[in-house]
Amino acid sequence: MPHTRRTFEIEQQLLVEAIYRRYHYDFRGYAQASLRRRLQTALARFNCETLSQLQHLVLHDAAVFPALLQYLTVQVSDMFRDPEYFLALREKVVPILRTYPSLKIWIAGCSGGEEVWSMAILLREEGLLERSLIYATDINASALQKAEAGVYDIERVPGFTDNYTRAGGAGSLSEHYSAAYGRVVFDKSLRRHVVFSDHSLATDSVFAEMQLISCRNVLIYFERPLQDRAVGLFQESLCRRGFLGLGSKESLRFSAHAAQFDEFLPGERIYQKKAQA
Amino acid sequence: MTETAPRAIAIGGSAGSIEALNHLLPALHPGLAASVIVALHLPREQPSLLQSIFAPRCALAVFEAQDKEPLRAGAIYFAPPDYHLLVDAGPVLALSIDPPVHFSRPAIDVLFESAADAYGAQLTAVLLSGANSDGARGLLAVQRAGGTTIVQAPASAYATAMPQAALALLAPDHVLEPQAMAPVLNQLHSRRSL
């Protein structure tokens, strides 16, 4: 039924445009196939037959958009996801970070915050947290709230702990959280070094000079021009020889900014900004 | 010369499907006029060995899928563990870490449905052995988009649930043992059929 498919495509473009004009959230440069999947799931949730009906709701009922946003942006993550990445940060990047008097680190697209707390714990164990400030940004306000709360179901802790150990964890993960009522909450002492902030890689600009930026499994949701915009922001934001970490299946190979980075640890997708870039 | 529409073969499988792939992939012709995109349920924690297992045995080039990689005819792409693999306009490969579907990431439904959107009638989808119902809905989407559907004959499958779930949902174009699949695919996607 190519006709139906084409109609869905048209409606998808119109809906994304409507969201941008009405709410200034810009999904126009997002990869189409996964966006289409999420919108198909959302249709059922909002009892709509078509995206045109959903667009009507989004434009005329202000309560609908925040709910729809959860379908458009929420990703699942894990603490110390891809433990080899955190192990590489610990063993190969931290020794260089140690040479800076103060550190600014940006977790771009932090979603539910798992990576933020992983990074804070790693820095604490390496004795760097006291001189570090972590900027955790996302476009989804409710994800940011969740990230800032640092509260997770206790069922997830065994997985977190396993990753933590494989990531070279120096002690025990349980030193960094307290457990109650089936949940764990990460330490307030970690939180003092994190700033949570609304920021869009699609529409906002650079806000500080960073030594390390970690943006994992975010660029896969962008089409090439938006990927280029985001990597351009990272390039601008990083200090000379600053580090950029990507997801395990992402690369700068196709990026317009590839020439401005060295492959510091290609296997772990850790790049270093060139001195003259 | 007129522009030829890109063509693809999407393959999904779970428990017991590597054995089926062993019959299927090495028997594909080197001149195949389609990209071959494979999503198998794999353990999340380990790197996939599929590329190293199949590369030496196949006439076609074998890759692990990379995000935004343009699809080439005559190449085989495997979904990496713990990522969904989709086809986006281009056609290019696209990865996502959206929640698992049927407890699986990669999920076969995700691959088949996106490939059906991207390729329409130029797609052939093959569902192999497996122990859950992933792939059935995807196969239906392929059929509705005008593509060709192939299901492994349950009697030849190590785990029959997946082929049977598909057969309960739709009447596929072919129900085949693994040994019989490559000849059909070679025929469907030979250079001449363009």
Side-chain angles (χ1 to χ4, degrees):
Chain A
M1 260 170 259
H3 180 66
T4 320
R5 203 166 59 242
R6 179 73 190 126
T7 306
F8 195 93
E9 237 173 75
I10 293 167
E11 290 179 299
Q12 180 171 332
Q13 282 168 8
L14 293 173
L15 172 61
V16 161
E17 185 67 32
I19 289 171
Y20 177 64
R21 293 206 198 170
R22 175 77 171 75
Y23 299 99
H24 307 292
Y25 279 85
D26 193 354
F27 291 99
R28 294 174 302 173
Y30 274 54
Q32 296 294 297
S34 55
L35 198 55
R36 185 184 313 131
R37 251 204 104 73
R38 287 151 176 240
L39 287 171
Q40 273 159 352
T41 315
L43 280 182
R45 154 70 176 77
F46 294 100
N47 292 317
C48 292
E49 294 281 318
T50 65
L51 287 183
S52 302
Q53 290 171 4
L54 183 57
Q55 180 184 311
H56 179 85
L57 286 180
V58 164
L59 286 174
H60 297 284
D61 181 347
V64 167
F65 178 66
L68 177 61
L69 191 58
Q70 304 320 309
Y71 284 85
L72 296 180
T73 64
V74 166
Q75 282 115 50
V76 280
S77 189
D78 244 336
M79 290 202 70
F80 298 96
R81 180 184 159 96
D82 302 322
E84 313 75 38
Y85 172 77
F86 285 93
L87 186 62
L89 285 180
R90 192 187 283 270
E91 291 181 343
K92 304 282 168 44
V93 177
V94 159
I96 301 169
L97 294 181
R98 217 181 275 295
T99 64
Y100 292 97
S102 71
L103 289 172
K104 289 202 172 101
I105 292 160
W106 179 9
I107 313 285
C110 72
S111 189
E114 291 88 339
E115 173 143 347
V116 178
W117 303 117
S118 308
M119 188 70 78
I121 289 166
L122 189 158
L123 291 169
R124 179 198 264 176
E125 291 185 346
E126 296 299 323
L128 291 176
L129 188 63
E130 286 306 313
R131 56 172 130 147
S132 299
L133 188 57
I134 301 173
Y135 293 93
T137 65
D138 204 277
I139 59 168
N140 182 338
S142 83
L144 276 173
Q145 274 171 17
K146 198 177 149 232
E148 185 160 14
V151 175
Y152 302 95
D153 286 342
I154 206 159
E155 287 78 37
R156 298 183 64 191
V157 169
F160 289 174
T161 304
D162 184 43
N163 281 352
Y164 166 82
T165 308
R166 292 167 58 208
S172 160
L173 187 64
S174 62
E175 293 162 31
H176 306 287
Y177 64 75
S178 44
Y181 307 110
R183 299 185 160 189
V184 295
V185 56
F186 283 88
D187 277 1
K188 289 220 163 40
S189 59
L190 295 168
R191 212 162 311 175
R192 280 204 302 275
H193 299 271
V194 188
V195 176
F196 292 89
S197 168
D198 176 64
H199 182 277
S200 163
L201 295 170
T203 52
D204 294 331
S205 54
V206 165
F207 52 89
E209 184 179 68
M210 308 289 168
Q211 279 73 44
L212 167 64
I213 298 174
S214 194
C215 180
R216 300 196 309 143
N217 297 312
V218 175
L219 299 180
I220 50 176
Y221 292 103
F222 297 170
E223 287 184 341
R224 195 69 56 74
L226 183 51
Q227 285 188 344
D228 285 343
R229 184 187 196 278
V231 176
L233 288 183
F234 301 152
Q235 195 270 335
E236 245 182 278
S237 178
L238 283 170
C239 68
R240 281 175 70 240
R241 315 296 286 152
F243 295 95
L244 171 63
L246 300 179
S248 68
K249 299 298 164 196
E250 297 175 310
S251 114
L252 292 184
R253 201 171 55 150
F254 303 119
S255 167
H257 305 279
Q260 279 140 2
F261 289 90
D262 290 320
E263 294 191 327
F264 181 72
L265 294 171
E268 307 313 326
R269 312 294 165 156
I270 297 174
Y271 295 83
Q272 188 172 30
K273 183 171 152 178
K274 286 183 176 169
Q276 72 280 13
Chain B
M1 211 173 100
T2 54
E3 185 115 346
T4 50
R7 307 175 66 95
I9 298 164
I11 301 174
S14 189
S17 60
I18 291 186
E19 198 199 327
L21 282 180
N22 251 331
H23 291 290
L24 202 174
L25 295 179
L28 291 174
H29 283 162
L32 195 77
S35 313
V36 183
I37 314 162
V38 187
L40 298 191
H41 297 165
L42 294 170
R44 284 191 197 172
E45 305 295 329
Q46 306 146 18
S48 161
L49 298 173
L50 292 171
Q51 189 187 353
S52 51
I53 292 173
F54 284 101
R57 302 182 196 177
C58 292
L60 306 187
V62 179
F63 302 99
E64 184 170 89
Q66 294 224 30
D67 188 55
K68 305 288 182 283
E69 186 170 8
L71 281 151
R72 292 181 359 213
I76 299 170
Y77 303 89
F78 283 107
D82 212 15
Y83 284 82
H84 289 304
L85 177 61
L86 302 90
V87 181
D88 223 322
V92 300
L93 293 167
L95 300 177
S96 109
I97 56 160
D98 279 6
V101 174
H102 299 289
F103 309 100
S104 304
R105 188 171 58 204
I108 301 162
D109 279 346
V110 174
L111 171 63
F112 282 5
E113 287 171 14
S114 66
D117 285 340
Y119 289 102
Q122 312 288 34
L123 176 70
T124 302
V126 182
L127 188 65
L128 301 174
S129 170
N132 71 10
S133 62
D134 191 15
R137 281 188 44 176
L139 213 55
L140 185 61
V142 172
Q143 188 168 71
R144 286 182 171 161
T148 306
T149 51
I150 300 175
V151 173
Q152 181 172 354
S156 70
Y158 169 82
T160 57
M162 224 157 75
Q164 272 166 350
L167 293 173
L169 197 62
L170 71 151
D173 297 293
H174 305 274
V175 179
L176 299 171
E177 294 185 359
Q179 292 86 334
M181 290 178 178
V184 172
L185 294 171
N186 285 327
Q187 176 68 30
L188 276 171
H189 296 280
S190 73
R191 296 276 175 205
R192 278 194 313 275
S193 73
L194 292 174

